[in-house]
């Protein structure tokens, strides 16, 4: 089971996942449907109900990386 926000599937939510989201928001990288699905959950593991990937997702990953 790959956790939410672990976009590269390495089992760790880190700067690499953050970089992928930033690049997607900037339009320099496209996320797969599977990666987009992992961004639909908030830090409590429940769906956030939003389908747009934006700065909120970036902030969520930063909050996970920097406790």
């Amino acid at each position: 089971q790959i956790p939410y926000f672990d976009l590269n599937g390495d089992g760790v939510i880190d700067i690499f996942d953050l970089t992928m989201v930033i690049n997607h928001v900037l339009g320099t990288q496209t996320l797969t449907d599977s990666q987009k699905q992992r961004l639909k959950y908030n830090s409590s593991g429940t769906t956030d109900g939003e389908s747009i990937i934006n700065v909120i997702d970036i902030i969520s990953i930063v909050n996970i990386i920097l406790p």
Side-chain angles (χ1 to χ4, degrees):
Q1 175 79 13
I2 298 173
Y4 58 90
F5 292 120
D6 179 13
L7 301 183
N8 62 2
D10 66 356
V12 179
I13 302 166
D14 56 18
I15 190 71
F16 299 111
D17 303 300
L18 178 61
T19 302
M20 292 175 78
V21 175
I22 291 170
N23 288 339
H24 180 79
V25 169
L26 293 175
T28 60
Q29 179 177 357
T30 302
L31 297 175
T32 65
D33 289 339
S34 177
Q35 290 168 328
K36 291 176 186 177
Q37 182 69 25
R38 288 183 220 134
L39 289 174
K40 289 185 179 182
Y41 297 91
N42 60 33
S43 60
S44 66
T46 59
T47 185
D48 68 7
E50 182 153 339
S51 61
I52 299 171
I53 298 169
N54 56 28
V55 175
I56 301 300
D57 298 299
I58 294 170
I59 292 169
S60 295
I61 294 176
V62 169
N63 287 335
I64 292 169
I65 295 171
L66 302 174

